Structures are given as structure tokens and as C-alpha cells.
Amino acid sequence: MNDNYSIEISDLTKVFGSRIIFNKINFKRDTPGLAGIAGPNGSGKSTLVKVIAGLLTQSSGTIKHYLGGKEVHQNSVYSVVGFASPYVYLYDEFSALENLEISMKIRGLKPDQENFKALLDRFTLWPRRNDPVKAYSSGMKQRLKLIFSVIHSPGLIIWDEPTANLDSDGKHRVYELASELAKESIVVFATNEETEIGMCSEVINILDYKNNK
Amino acid sequence: MKFYWLFRKDLQSELRTRYAINALGMFIVVTISVILFSIGQEKITQNLSGGLFWVVVFFSAMSGLSRAFVSEEERGTVLTLQLMSDPNTVLGGKLLFNIVLVFSMNIFIALLYSALFDVFVIKNLPMFLLAFVLGNLGIGISSTLIAAIIAKANTKGTLYPVLSFPILLPLFLTLIEITKKAMEGVPFDEGFIEIATLVSYDVVMVAAGFMLFDLVWKE
């Protein structure tokens, strides 16, 4: 995993028209561990994680990702962030293994077949590794997305509703992996599941950032 | 080389889904058939046949070249792409894919057109080939950029030709002019202005593309 990754969020604000999604969020973390973003449905959790991952631009404020003490350029944030959510889709016409290989090659990294096998095995997808993703159930797709988010060893792993569509076995495997990853990376859950929030050492409640000054 | 892997991904995806190839192939055949039927027994002039060639190219390009970005948007894989590459890699990969598609499409159109229209005879072939290559590059570059702009819109089908028309107009006017000269067999230096215009167009579009793509790509 990435050494010396840290993140610094200052006065982060996002508004859509006159609607404040969140206002002046400040957050800093330079040690691995589990952090949570909590809030009810529609409160803006997904918007916040998209902004942090560089998928959406903020209205004001700054997000700085550091690797080895150096600030990561805005266009390279993808290389230090891993992101999984129900609204991220992988390529249906490719198999699980092809999706993982393609994503590594496009990132400019060498596909690590042993790591792929270990992760696919862990989520019981290895026997179906060569099937096209379009033949997968929604739970299998969710497991694959979680694998996709960690294969490049990012310093920041953001999982938005990580256990959506998963059965209890799948949820257990997610929690186990998250705990392991949190030893070396910052893992962020955006969720309203109490079990997940309970695992986090630090929680941002998005409702606290609606009317704050 | 990251953009090459993105290009490979798009090529493999296209070969499996036939998202653009089938639509383009059918469109080319239908358009040329309509021209043939509408002409009937009439004789068309050499100049008109040259102009019609680029009309076929324009509308074929409009039917298939937006797919590079539209297919990502429709399948919801835009975020996936943003999560594994920087904007320059995306533009480079998509550009290469569209250029390959434009060349394949236009070679097919040129062969079919030459076989079906007796009057479509090029006397200065090197000049036409150079214009053809530069023109294809220009079409590929412009269509990729416009596809990126319209991909998020609700009315993609309408917006694509509407936005493309003013941007591609100078390119097509130049191509029509130089094709006319190549058909007349004028010496190479008489087509210098058109060739220089095509080179300038391509350079400006590539430069503008890489400078502005960031703004288009991120929400």
C-alpha cells in the first residue's frame, strides 16, 4: 500500500443552485485507518465523496492529496484514490479478469495476476473470472467493483455504500478486507449503515455541515 | 503508452459490441444507394461527384463518430474511466480510436464510391491522398472533441451534427476544393494553400483539444 499518503480538506463547500449540499468541511488525516461519512439518503454523501475523489468540482474550498510529502496534481488524483459505489459501472462486455487487467494497464501499471487471484478468490469470484460481467448478479458486480477500487494500492480508498446488494457473507468479507486495508491506507465509508459507522474511528456527519457558518 | 491501452480497450469493446461499426457500415451503404437511386440515368459532373463524396463522408461521420464518448456515457462507465486515467490519456485514447475508425470508414466509402461512380476519377492521386489523410485526421480530431462535449446532453443525436457543422465546415470546404483540383489533375503546387489550410486546421484542433478537454471532461 501507499506510504505517507495524507489528505487535507479545507473549507470544502458544494452548492447546487441555491441548495447547500455541504458547507465548509474541514478534515485532515495523515495516518491509516477507517473514517466514515454519515447522513441520511439524499443528504449529499455521494456528492462529497465524488468531490474528494476528484470526480466532481467543489464550489469553494480545497482538497489536497499528498504522497510522500508532495502534493498530488489534480489530474493525477486517480492514481492515489480507489473508489467503489453502486453508480460506478465496469465494462459489461469484458470478463472480471479483463476489467482488472485493463484498468491496471490504462493506469500505466503492470497487472499483478497473483493479487487478482487473491482478491477474486476472497470474494468468491475466481471460478467466474472469465465470464463477461454482464452475466454477473448485482452482488457479484458490487464485489468486483470493490476489488477494482483496491488493485492499484491507493492511499485513499473510498467506498460509497460498500455493502449495497451484498448478502451477509459478502458484507462480512467487505468488513474484513476494509479492516485489513485500513492498516496501511485511509479507508472511507460513505454510509448510513450503523455497523459500518461503528467501525470508523472518525465520522463526518454531513448534516452538521448544512447550516454551519 | 497509457492512451494506447485505452485505445485497445475501445477497439476490443467495439469488436465485441459492434456499437459503431454496424451503424456506420449500414449508413454508408444506404447513403450511397440513395444517391445512386436519386441520380438514376442522369449523368453527374465530375465536380458534383467530388462534392457528393464528402457529403457521404460528413453524414457517415455524424452517424458513428460520437460513439466514442456517448457509449461510455450511456453505459455509465464515464466515472470508471475518470477513476483510472487522467484527461490527456482519455483524449489520446479516444482520439486514436476515432482516427482509426474514420480512416476505415473513409477508405470503405472511397472504394465503394469509386466502384459505383464512373465520373469519380482522380487525376492527381498524391494530392488527393495527402488531402484525404489530413482531412481524415481533422474529422477524427473534431468529431472526438464534439462527442466529448455532447455526451452529457439529453439530445445527443440532434446536437452532434448541429455543433459539428460550423466546426467542420471550413475543413469540408477545403476538402471539396482540393478534391476538385485533384480530379482536374492540376499540379501539386496549385493545391498548396488548401494543404496548408488542412495542416493548420489539424494542428489548431489538436492543440485546442488538449488545452480544453479538462474542462469538458470533469463535471
Side-chain angles (χ1 to χ4, degrees):
Chain A
M1 288 288 151
N2 274 310
D3 290 329
N4 304 320
Y5 170 83
S6 61
I7 183 168
E8 195 179 318
I9 295 172
S10 311
D11 290 337
L12 192 66
T13 301
K14 181 73 184 175
V15 292
F16 286 128
S18 58
R19 196 157 59 93
I20 297 170
I21 308 301
F22 46 82
N23 185 36
K24 293 188 177 174
I25 293 181
N26 288 290
F27 177 82
K28 190 179 175 181
R29 182 139 192 168
D30 54 13
T31 52
L34 268 163
I37 295 170
N41 292 339
S43 57
K45 298 187 296 294
S46 297
T47 305
L48 174 57
V49 290
K50 279 188 192 173
V51 172
I52 294 173
L55 301 171
L56 203 61
T57 47
Q58 63 269 38
S59 303
S60 64
T62 57
I63 308 157
K64 290 181 178 171
H65 301 263
Y66 296 94
L67 192 63
K70 279 189 175 174
E71 190 182 341
V72 178
H73 187 270
Q74 198 189 347
N75 282 347
S76 301
V77 168
Y78 75 94
S79 63
V80 294
V81 173
F83 190 96
S85 86
Y87 49 82
V88 167
Y89 297 93
L90 297 178
Y91 293 94
D92 267 358
E93 65 275 24
F94 294 120
S95 68
L97 212 48
E98 285 173 327
N99 264 292
L100 300 180
E101 282 173 359
I102 286 168
S103 76
M104 287 296 271
K105 287 174 176 171
I106 292 176
R107 284 188 174 109
L109 303 170
K110 200 170 170 240
D112 180 350
Q113 298 297 338
E114 277 182 30
N115 190 30
F116 292 169
K117 184 177 185 315
L119 286 164
L120 288 167
D121 239 351
R122 183 171 198 146
F123 281 103
T124 64
L125 291 174
W126 181 249
R128 302 281 304 272
R129 65 190 177 281
N130 292 318
D131 291 358
V133 172
K134 64 181 162 207
Y136 281 20
S137 69
S138 51
M140 290 165 74
K141 285 181 183 172
Q142 178 66 11
R143 291 171 193 222
L144 184 59
K145 288 174 197 176
L146 295 169
I147 296 172
F148 165 83
S149 69
V150 300
I151 48 168
H152 56 297
S153 308
L156 176 66
I157 297 163
I158 300 172
W159 286 350
D160 189 2
E161 297 185 34
T163 51
N165 301 315
L166 293 184
D167 53 22
S168 57
D169 173 63
K171 286 180 183 177
H172 176 70
R173 287 170 196 268
V174 170
Y175 299 151
E176 214 175 55
L177 179 63
S179 302
E180 279 176 33
L181 292 168
K183 289 174 187 161
E184 294 174 30
S185 301
I186 299 170
V187 181
V188 176
F189 284 157
T191 182
N192 43 30
E193 288 273 336
E194 296 206 354
T195 321
E196 287 154 29
I197 293 296
M199 290 171 69
C200 301
S201 57
E202 196 173 353
V203 177
I204 294 173
N205 190 333
I206 204 152
L207 293 181
D208 296 339
Y209 296 93
K210 294 282 183 186
N211 300 311
N212 58 323
K213 295 284 177 189
Chain B
M1 284 303 284
K2 288 190 266 181
F3 76 93
Y4 168 74
W5 291 111
L6 182 60
F7 160 73
R8 277 278 300 266
K9 186 274 290 176
D10 277 358
L11 192 63
Q12 275 181 317
S13 175
E14 181 57 42
L15 293 174
R16 286 184 196 185
T17 60
R18 306 285 165 96
Y19 204 92
I21 294 173
N22 284 351
L24 271 173
M26 290 307 295
F27 196 91
I28 292 165
V29 171
V30 168
T31 313
I32 294 181
S33 304
V34 168
I35 293 175
L36 278 172
F37 287 133
S38 57
I39 291 169
Q41 299 300 318
E42 295 288 322
K43 275 273 177 202
I44 59 166
T45 64
Q46 223 180 19
N47 283 350
L48 185 58
S49 77
L52 282 175
F53 170 79
W54 290 109
V55 170
V56 176
V57 169
F58 176 78
F59 283 107
S60 304
M62 291 304 98
S63 78
L65 296 182
S66 63
R67 313 264 173 166
F69 282 103
V70 170
S71 71
E72 300 276 2
E73 196 67 46
E74 284 177 352
R75 292 185 296 171
T77 50
V78 171
L79 285 183
T80 314
L81 210 49
Q82 289 177 343
L83 286 167
M84 57 188 183
S85 51
D86 60 278
N88 285 347
T89 304
V90 175
L91 182 59
K94 296 287 179 190
L95 194 57
L96 186 58
F97 176 75
N98 257 6
I99 286 172
V100 168
L101 199 61
V102 169
F103 269 92
S104 315
M105 172 188 97
N106 287 354
I107 289 169
F108 177 58
I109 294 175
L111 293 174
L112 197 64
Y113 203 79
S114 311
L116 294 171
F117 292 87
D118 298 339
V119 287
F120 189 67
V121 178
I122 307 290
K123 289 177 186 154
N124 188 341
L125 197 59
M127 184 199 264
F128 177 75
L129 286 179
L130 182 60
F132 186 75
V133 169
L134 292 170
N136 284 349
L137 288 174
I139 296 167
I141 299 159
S142 309
S143 57
T144 307
L145 292 177
I146 301 161
I149 294 168
I150 59 107
K152 286 186 173 64
N154 291 327
T155 51
K156 303 174 184 64
T158 320
L159 259 185
Y160 194 55
V162 168
L163 258 185
S164 299
F165 181 69
I167 295 170
L168 286 173
L169 189 64
L171 178 71
F172 274 88
L173 288 178
T174 313
L175 285 167
I176 290 167
E177 186 57 32
I178 199 161
T179 303
K180 187 180 143 194
K181 287 185 176 175
M183 291 175 94
E184 286 167 357
V186 299
F188 206 92
D189 52 348
E190 281 188 35
F192 177 77
I193 290 175
E194 284 80 8
I195 295 293
T197 308
L198 292 175
V199 172
S200 311
Y201 183 92
D202 292 356
V203 170
V204 168
M205 291 309 291
V206 168
F210 279 97
M211 282 165 67
L212 301 173
F213 186 69
D214 252 16
L215 304 172
V216 177
W217 185 232
K218 293 272 167 78
E219 273 184 58

